[in-house]
Structure formats: structure tokens, C-alpha cells
Amino acid sequence: MKRYGIVLGAGMGTRMKSEVPKVLHEVMGKAMIEHVIGALETAGSQELIVVTGHKSELVEARLGDRAVYAKQEEQLGTAHAVQMADGALAGKPGMTMVTYGDDPLLTSETLELLFTKHENSGAKMTMLTNVVANPFGLGRIIRDASGEVARIVEQKDATPEELKTTEINTGIACYDNEVLFEALKLVGNDNAQGEYYLTDLVEIIKGMGHAVESVVIENVDGVLGVNDRVQLANNGRIMRERINKKHMENGVTLIDPLTTYIEADVVIGSDVVIEPNVYLKGNTVVEAGAFIGAGSDFENAKIGSGAQILASFVVDSEVGAHATVGPFAHLRAGAVVGAKSRIGNFVEIKKATLGEGVKAAHLAYMGDAEIGPRVNMSCGAIIANYDGKKKHKTVIGADAMIGSNVNLIAPVEIGEGAYVAAGSTVSKNVPAEALAIARAKQENKEGYAKRL
Ligand code: UD1
Ligand code: CA
């Protein structure tokens, strides 16, 4: 049966106290609604409708063509929100999963379970429920004598007796798509909040003579939802634990998972060892056998197999296989470090490509450069790439030796195998195999020290 998905994300998220729409707040590197959309896509939903309202343009800009958008101008309740998808979905055969954009922990496995149960049971609505210790604020599931779901009652409409129920409505449910949009027409707003409640569909669909089924989610942290920043942090912690567990199961050693932060899309090979206080972000890829030392922070980094990185920042950059980096190096904006290179303490590399076996063991800066294999950038050597207005390029040929404290003033080319003497300030090209000395000649004045 064809699968559709609706994601509600029109709410203001008042309790977030934010200029950013709630569903765009991030959990482990992705907006909450991106996690939900991803779970729906993985569970096979072919058409996704996102109901937007508050700052809809920001939500649409983030999700792009992964979804179709339906705008809810006024937030009159969850049933009203789902009705906004009428134009896109009404009358189409299939089943529709309704989810909330602020449930980042919802997994594709849970959605798959719901879709499958729904399809196999023949029910027209299959809801996901959860038994929680503190149900305050949530809709309670009221079952009849035979144990079937009779209705859902919201906190504000419930009797004291009903409030004792600890089985709650997660809000996530699968519907027969045609029945859904028929039933929505029958929802009223005669309740404590004067809203059109999606939860009324239980009684309405039963009233139409159809079966309503439920799945009780086992994993209690499965669907928590986020209303404020405390819950945002809690959802983040749970997601982090899940991500870390997955990597450990795949053969990655995390010395201390509690202080290891790996965002959702990071890829890590086997036998990688990660020390505490490491943050791996974005589309970072770490290949097999690499070692990531404490205090490292990577974003969109590609780390080759067997590389060793100590306490360094690597952003939008690559480190080749078996290279060593750090401690305290900063690679950014398209730095590419060749295999087996050695980048030591306090070295910064920006938009520069280094061949194999380059050494820059201490205190160097390489920006806007092409650096051949086995070049040695000695202590304190820098490339002066910026003239105050423009950046210029520097090329250093293979096997060149750049002495300590050299300034290479770009644009400049150093030929293969050339030798630039320590302390030189080089502004003219140096031919291959040449020795360049560009510094004031030393003069020794005998006996002067004492007189001074
Ligand atoms: C809802 C359920 C409640 C359930 C809880 C789980 C109803 C009436 N109640 O309550 O049973 O236990 O979720 O979290 O459905 N939204 C819109 N447009 C609207 C209203 C809401 O898009 O007009 C969106 C919100 O952005 C949010 C989601 O729907 O993502 C849920 O709305 P919210 O107001 O948080 O519902 P609850 O009162 O928490
Ligand atoms: Ca809510």
C-alpha cells in the first residue's frame, strides 16, 4: 500500500523563547524536523507534506524539495493542521503517517512497525502510545473494558480519574488516507482549549464503523518531543547515546561515550579510537584505524585510515592516510594534508593542498598554497597570502626546504628541491635547486657589547 507522511510544524514553540521556529532547532547537528523527515523517508513514505505556519519560509528553505508544503495561517489545533494537507492528499488511496516536527527521536523502525501493523490489521487508524512515569500535559489513552482504545482525553479536558492514566498519546498515528480526510471534516472545537483536536479522530473513526488499533512503544525514550530547551538537551543526550552505541557496535572504541559527541551523519570506520571530549560534526568521515585524541573538533572533515589527530580543529578539510596532526593544529576551508605528512603544534593550514610526506612540525601558517611532496616548512615559516585587499597563491615544489622563520610573500613560486635560508623574506620566485637567502647580512662589531 502506498505510504504518505504528514509532519506538523506550524506551532510557534513559545516555550523555546526563540526567534527560530521550534522545528528548526537542532539535535546532534540536524534540525528536529530533518530527523523526522529522514525517519519517514526511510520508512518508505513517498509523498511528504509539511504543515508550516510560524516563519514558514525558514522551514521551507531548510527542507527544500524533500517535502511539499501546506501553510496553516492560523494555528487552530492539530486536526486543523492535518486538514491543511487536504489539497495534496485527500482521496488518494494508501496510508498516511501523521507525525510532529518536534519529535527528533522518532525512528524509522517505529514508523515501519506502525505502517506494518496498520496494513496487516485492516484498521483505519493505528496509533502509537507510550506508558510514561509523568504524563502531565499529555493526552491520556482511555481504553474500554475489552482493552480497546475508546478515546483520547487531553490534560485540560480530563477528569481527576482519567488523569491517573499513565498511557499517553504520542500524537503519532497511521491512517487510511481516504478515511482520514473524511473524518477530519467531522472534528469540532467544543473543548477546554477551543481547538480542533486530532485526538477526536479516535471516536469519529470508530463511529464510522472502522477499527482503531494501537501500538504501545516499548522504548520509553523513543518519542519524547521537545517543547523547551531543557527537553531539547534531553533529546540531544538520548540521540547521542544512540549514535555512540551504534558506532561502538560497529567496532569503534569510544574511551568515554559520555563525553563523545558524534552528529547523526558522521561515518566512522572500524578500529577507530576516540578519546574523551571529541566533537565530530556534519559530514565528517573517519576511516578505519584512525586515532582521534582528546579535545579534537571536526566539521565536514575527512580523516584517512591510520591518521592520528591530537587536540586539533579540522573544518571542511582532509587529512591523508597515516598522517599525524597536532596537538593544537587548525585545518580549515579546504586544507588537504597528504598521506604520511606530519603537521605539528600550532600549525594553521587554510585552503592549501599538501602532497605526501610534508613536514610542518611547529608554528607554521600555509594559506592559499600548493605544496609539493616532502616539503619541509620549518618552525615559524609562514605564507603571507594577503596583501590587505586580495589573497594570492603560493606554489612550493617537491622536496623544497623552507627554513625557520621564512616569510613567503604571495604570489610566489619556490622551485623543486630549492632551499630557502632561515629568516628570509622571499618575494621573488626561487628556481629549482637554488639556495635563496633574503635577509640582512650579519655584521659583528668587535668589543661593542661591553661599550653598550
Ligand atoms: C498533542 C496531542 C496530545 C499528545 C501530545 C504529544 C492533540 C489535541 N493533542 O498535544 O494528545 O499527548 O500532542 O506531544 O493533538 N501544531 C500545528 N498546528 C496547530 C497546532 C499544533 O502545526 O494548529 C503542531 C505543533 O507545531 C506541534 C504539534 O502540532 O508540532 C503538536 O502540537 P501541540 O500544541 O504541541 O500539541 P499538544 O498540546 O502537545
Ligand atoms: Ca507538544
Side-chain angles (χ1 to χ4, degrees):
M1 215 186 285
K2 190 156 180 198
R3 297 176 177 191
Y4 308 99
I6 297 175
V7 185
L8 304 190
M12 281 268 290
T14 317
R15 281 169 285 171
M16 297 297 283
K17 303 194 175 153
S18 177
E19 292 296 312
V20 177
K22 176 162 80 171
V23 295
L24 290 188
H25 281 265
E26 291 188 356
V27 172
M28 290 318 282
K30 266 199 239 181
M32 293 196 274
I33 196 166
E34 291 179 292
H35 286 290
V36 177
I37 296 267
L40 281 164
E41 285 167 346
T42 308
S45 293
Q46 288 165 330
E47 276 179 58
L48 293 176
I49 318 299
V50 171
V51 179
T52 59
H54 183 62
K55 298 201 175 166
S56 54
E57 65 291 347
L58 297 180
V59 178
E60 293 178 27
R62 176 70 74 96
L63 296 174
D65 59 13
R66 286 174 87 182
V68 168
Y69 302 94
K71 182 132 190 213
Q72 186 190 25
E73 297 289 351
E74 256 188 302
Q75 275 89 63
L76 302 179
T78 45
H80 180 253
V82 174
Q83 227 165 1
M84 300 300 111
D86 183 283
L89 290 181
K92 292 185 179 176
M95 42 186 182
T96 300
M97 189 71 74
V98 174
T99 61
Y100 297 164
D102 56 6
D103 266 336
L105 294 173
L106 180 64
T107 63
S108 59
E109 289 85 358
T110 298
L111 294 177
E112 182 60 47
L113 195 73
L114 264 181
F115 271 133
T116 313
K117 171 134 189 198
H118 184 82
E119 191 159 12
N120 294 344
S121 74
K124 299 297 181 196
M125 172 178 182
T126 305
M127 43 193 292
L128 185 68
T129 75
N130 196 354
V131 179
V132 297
N134 177 17
F136 182 83
L138 296 164
R140 309 298 205 283
I141 307 294
I142 309 300
R143 291 183 181 267
D144 63 22
S146 64
E148 268 183 46
V149 177
R151 60 201 171 84
I152 303 171
V153 60
E154 291 303 297
Q155 173 86 27
K156 288 184 179 150
D157 301 287
T159 64
E161 198 53 37
E162 288 169 334
L163 288 178
K164 289 183 188 151
T165 311
T166 54
E167 186 183 5
I168 59 96
N169 172 33
T170 63
I172 290 144
C174 182
Y175 301 84
D176 175 280
N177 187 63
E178 288 158 291
V179 169
L180 171 62
F181 288 98
E182 285 307 310
L184 279 172
K185 294 179 190 155
L186 305 175
V187 176
N189 65 350
D190 181 17
N191 51 52
Q193 303 185 82
E195 285 184 8
Y196 295 89
Y197 288 169
L198 189 61
T199 46
D200 285 357
L201 289 186
V202 176
E203 285 169 283
I204 292 170
I205 290 174
K206 283 173 104 70
M208 291 163 85
H210 303 304
V212 172
E213 273 287 352
S214 65
V215 170
V216 185
I217 192 171
E218 298 291 338
N219 178 1
V220 179
D221 24 274
V223 192
L224 290 179
V226 171
N227 292 316
D228 59 33
R229 309 238 186 188
V230 175
Q231 292 169 346
L232 183 71
N234 281 335
N235 275 242
R237 178 181 48 77
I238 293 166
M239 183 164 300
R240 211 155 67 226
E241 287 168 5
R242 281 189 195 167
I243 292 170
N244 287 351
K245 182 163 177 279
K246 178 194 78 183
H247 288 298
M248 290 188 280
E249 284 167 355
N250 288 342
V252 177
T253 295
L254 305 183
I255 305 290
D256 179 16
L258 290 178
T259 59
T260 305
Y261 302 79
I262 304 172
E263 288 185 352
D265 290 337
V266 171
V267 176
I268 309 179
S270 63
D271 286 324
V272 167
V273 175
I274 300 179
E275 287 194 331
N277 292 321
V278 165
Y279 211 138
L280 306 182
K281 302 170 190 162
N283 295 312
T284 291
V285 176
V286 181
E287 289 176 357
F291 179 88
I292 315 297
S296 293
D297 189 328
F298 302 167
E299 182 164 5
N300 304 324
K302 187 169 180 291
I303 310 296
S305 60
Q308 292 204 31
I309 321 274
L310 304 181
S312 291
F313 280 74
V314 181
V315 182
D316 301 318
S317 293
E318 284 178 35
V319 174
H322 302 286
T324 63
V325 173
F328 317 120
H330 187 186
L331 277 49
R332 63 187 178 90
V336 178
V337 170
K340 297 184 193 134
S341 289
R342 178 172 161 223
I343 306 303
N345 358 229
F346 309 108
V347 173
E348 178 174 350
I349 307 176
K350 185 221 95 177
K351 207 172 168 188
T353 301
L354 281 57
E356 260 194 55
V358 168
K359 282 192 193 131
H362 3 247
L363 299 159
Y365 173 66
M366 286 159 269
D368 302 291
E370 229 170 79
I371 297 173
R374 299 171 302 280
V375 163
N376 191 98
M377 284 290 280
S378 304
C379 182
I382 64 128
I383 291 173
N385 57 324
Y386 185 51
D387 63 11
K389 287 203 177 93
K390 270 191 186 157
K391 306 267 167 67
H392 300 280
K393 190 168 176 185
T394 297
V395 179
I396 306 178
D399 300 296
M401 165 71 194
I402 311 298
S404 283
N405 238 27
V406 162
N407 300 314
L408 300 176
I409 303 189
V412 72
E413 285 185 30
I414 311 295
E416 288 189 10
Y419 196 114
V420 179
S424 294
T425 292
V426 174
S427 53
K428 287 188 284 196
N429 292 350
V430 178
E433 310 292 336
L435 166 68
I437 309 178
R439 63 189 185 212
K441 264 218 164 73
Q442 184 170 337
E443 215 181 314
N444 290 338
K445 302 199 175 191
E446 295 291 338
Y448 257 56
K450 227 176 192 156
R451 275 172 56 193
L452 276 177

